[in-house]
Amino acid sequence: MQTPNIAVIGLGYVGLPLAVEFAKKYPVAGFDINQHRIESLMNGIDHTLEIEEPLLKSVISAKPVTSGSTGLHCSARLEDIASCNYYIVTVPTPTDKYNHPDLTPLYKASETVGKVLKKGDIVIYESTVYPGVTEDECAPVLEKTSGLKYNVDFFCGYSPERINPGDKLHTVSKILKITSGSTPEVAKKVDALYRSIITAGTHPAPSIKVAEAAKVIENSQRDINIAFVNELAKIFNLLNIDTSAVLEAAGTKWNFLKFRPGLVGGHCIGVDPYYLAQKAQEAGYHPEIILAGRRLNDGMGAYVASETIKLMIKKEMQIKNAKILILGFTFKENCPDVRNTRVIDIVNELKSYQAEISVCDPWAEPAVVKHEYDIETFKNISDKPGKYDAVILAVAHDEFRDLNIPGLVNSKSVIYDVKGVLTNDICDARL
């Protein structure tokens, strides 16, 4: 295998952990267009909290790392990645306001790589896409920008990311990696590259399209299963049956899949199914189950808000100007990531009732939430003392598990538990 000199394009939740792992063994250039992000990383600070400061500082190099050395140098300068021979693209793949795939970050990243691409280089994509994006969308951009010919002068690979933000057990090296390449020889090189750092092993896929398809169905499957239990929760609520008790009982069967109801957000599960659906529709097939699951899950925030309002009305509480506290805003517990959080749906629905909404989240950065969603949040309950007419536990951060929630409400207030972590004597209802 050609001696790797690696560039990682995009230093977010996916790119940084990968760059750090490679930097233990190879020279790595980390590239990101966010200059503030670059400066923080070079000072050993990762605001995503995926990499702890001692580890990050141990691999960071003040200067570009030369061949034969190890370490990570982060930069926003094209010249600092020009000498690399492996380019790994880890930029996000979001959807637009119509839930259509937005490939803009991929196009721009491909243009960036194309400007420094040389003969013999290999470009590997990790971003989640529908089958065909790497070869049909990205490779032509690389060709146009570089003036080189795909599979003659340069080559591509696809190895989908499987990062789980906030998970300190299933880290990069401990998650089995799917690999693929645009030619059999390149596929072997890509697999060897990842196999050199992935202790969990690799699974070489027979083609790039197979690898792309495998990734996009992983999260689609999970999305559909969560949609099923979310629908069960709605049904059992109408029947006055405890959903948690039902799932616990059913879970005693050896092959029962133990999914829980809840909000489905984040940069993967709430997005990836739309990529598969888009490709299916282009091929002339309307995916009924996938889109039905998406519709149901996307409606859960409004459902939680509606159920909370119903409970308040039953207690003869005034809804207009009612003080409602939402605990948690990130898309999952013990993680600062607010991308595609569905808690915003609860907030927006409650605002339509002209209620006064307060959002507390010890993990989310208030400035980021304000920039992305234009709402105010605070980190500590003590920052906004008082009694609330309703409390919704939306995200099960560890800090909330020991919180005296009954002490935050009035005698006839409503406590709604989205995550199913509160006892029956505390909450009025749970999802």
Side-chain angles (χ1 to χ4, degrees), residues 287-330:
E288 298 183 32
I289 294 177
I290 293 172
L291 291 179
R294 280 283 70 239
R295 284 193 298 272
L296 198 145
N297 284 339
D298 277 349
M300 292 309 293
Y303 174 78
V304 167
S306 175
E307 290 300 300
T308 302
I309 294 298
K310 287 179 183 178
L311 289 168
M312 294 175 70
I313 292 173
K314 286 180 180 179
K315 292 188 176 185
E316 299 182 345
M317 301 175 68
Q318 179 176 316
I319 306 303
K320 186 177 181 179
N321 298 324
K323 295 183 178 181
I324 301 178
L325 172 65
I326 297 177
L327 296 175
F329 190 79
T330 61

Side-chain angles (χ1 to χ4, degrees), residues 234-241:
K234 289 184 174 183
I235 294 170
F236 293 142
N237 178 48
L238 291 171
L239 300 178
N240 197 28
I241 298 174

Side-chain angles (χ1 to χ4, degrees), residues 72-83:
L72 169 64
H73 179 75
C74 301
S75 172
R77 293 160 25 111
L78 268 179
E79 50 263 45
D80 289 337
I81 63 172
S83 62

Side-chain angles (χ1 to χ4, degrees), residues 269-291:
I269 300 177
V271 173
D272 296 353
Y274 286 123
Y275 274 73
L276 183 57
Q278 172 77 18
K279 190 62 176 178
Q281 289 170 330
E282 288 177 5
Y285 179 80
H286 180 74
E288 298 183 32
I289 294 177
I290 293 172
L291 291 179

Side-chain angles (χ1 to χ4, degrees), residues 42-76:
M42 291 301 290
N43 288 321
I45 300 171
D46 171 27
H47 293 300
T48 69
L49 306 181
E50 290 299 302
I51 304 297
E52 295 180 356
E53 188 172 334
L55 174 56
L56 184 55
K57 285 185 174 180
S58 72
V59 299
I60 283 291
S61 171
K63 296 180 179 179
V65 188
T66 57
S67 182
S69 301
T70 62
L72 169 64
H73 179 75
C74 301
S75 172

Side-chain angles (χ1 to χ4, degrees), residues 348-397:
N348 289 337
E349 186 69 14
L350 290 174
K351 281 184 175 180
S352 70
Y353 290 93
Q354 299 182 47
E356 182 182 320
I357 313 301
S358 299
V359 181
C360 176
D361 194 309
W363 286 79
E365 286 299 324
V368 174
V369 177
K370 177 66 175 177
H371 178 265
E372 296 295 329
Y373 298 96
D374 194 29
I375 65 170
E376 305 287 344
T377 63
F378 55 97
K379 282 182 169 287
N380 300 299
I381 287 295
S382 58
D383 293 341
K384 201 167 184 179
K387 298 289 185 178
Y388 293 89
D389 299 306
V391 174
I392 299 175
L393 178 60
V395 186
H397 293 311

Side-chain angles (χ1 to χ4, degrees), residues 132-394:
V133 167
T134 299
E135 295 172 289
D136 300 339
E137 301 289 342
C138 297
V141 175
L142 293 170
E143 284 187 320
K144 181 179 179 180
T145 309
S146 68
L148 302 175
K149 189 167 179 60
Y150 175 52
N151 273 346
V152 174
D153 300 316
F154 73 92
F155 306 88
C156 286
Y158 183 78
S159 182
E161 60 89 4
R162 281 175 165 172
I163 292 293
N164 185 23
D167 190 338
K168 302 307 179 184
L169 293 177
H170 302 95
T171 51
V172 173
S173 65
K174 298 176 183 177
I175 304 173
L176 194 142
K177 205 85 163 67
I178 297 172
T179 64
S180 64
S182 55
T183 70
E185 182 182 356
V186 168
K188 290 178 182 178
K189 289 182 178 180
V190 172
D191 188 69
L193 179 68
Y194 282 104
R195 198 168 61 245
S196 69
I197 65 163
I198 305 295
T199 57
T202 61
H203 175 87
S207 70
I208 286 178
K209 284 186 174 66
V210 167
E212 291 170 326
K215 170 57 181 176
V216 79
I217 70 166
E218 289 176 14
N219 289 324
S220 297
Q221 181 189 66
R222 185 166 175 79
D223 190 47
I224 291 167
N225 278 301
I226 297 174
F228 173 62
V229 293
N230 273 338
E231 187 162 65
L232 292 180
K234 289 184 174 183
I235 294 170
F236 293 142
N237 178 48
L238 291 171
L239 300 178
N240 197 28
I241 298 174
D242 187 335
T243 303
S244 296
V246 173
L247 294 175
E248 182 180 354
T252 59
K253 190 167 187 277
W254 74 91
N255 60 351
F256 184 81
L257 302 179
K258 297 183 179 181
F259 286 88
R260 304 284 306 179
L263 305 176
V264 183
H267 68 296
C268 287
I269 300 177
V271 173
D272 296 353
Y274 286 123
Y275 274 73
L276 183 57
Q278 172 77 18
K279 190 62 176 178
Q281 289 170 330
E282 288 177 5
Y285 179 80
H286 180 74
E288 298 183 32
I289 294 177
I290 293 172
L291 291 179
R294 280 283 70 239
R295 284 193 298 272
L296 198 145
N297 284 339
D298 277 349
M300 292 309 293
Y303 174 78
V304 167
S306 175
E307 290 300 300
T308 302
I309 294 298
K310 287 179 183 178
L311 289 168
M312 294 175 70
I313 292 173
K314 286 180 180 179
K315 292 188 176 185
E316 299 182 345
M317 301 175 68
Q318 179 176 316
I319 306 303
K320 186 177 181 179
N321 298 324
K323 295 183 178 181
I324 301 178
L325 172 65
I326 297 177
L327 296 175
F329 190 79
T330 61
F331 92 90
K332 64 178 292 188
E333 64 275 5
N334 305 324
C335 171
D337 194 350
V338 298
R339 289 177 297 172
N340 194 36
T341 175
R342 296 333 314 161
V343 179
I344 188 64
D345 298 334
I346 301 177
V347 174
N348 289 337
E349 186 69 14
L350 290 174
K351 281 184 175 180
S352 70
Y353 290 93
Q354 299 182 47
E356 182 182 320
I357 313 301
S358 299
V359 181
C360 176
D361 194 309
W363 286 79
E365 286 299 324
V368 174
V369 177
K370 177 66 175 177
H371 178 265
E372 296 295 329
Y373 298 96
D374 194 29
I375 65 170
E376 305 287 344
T377 63
F378 55 97
K379 282 182 169 287
N380 300 299
I381 287 295
S382 58
D383 293 341
K384 201 167 184 179
K387 298 289 185 178
Y388 293 89
D389 299 306
V391 174
I392 299 175
L393 178 60

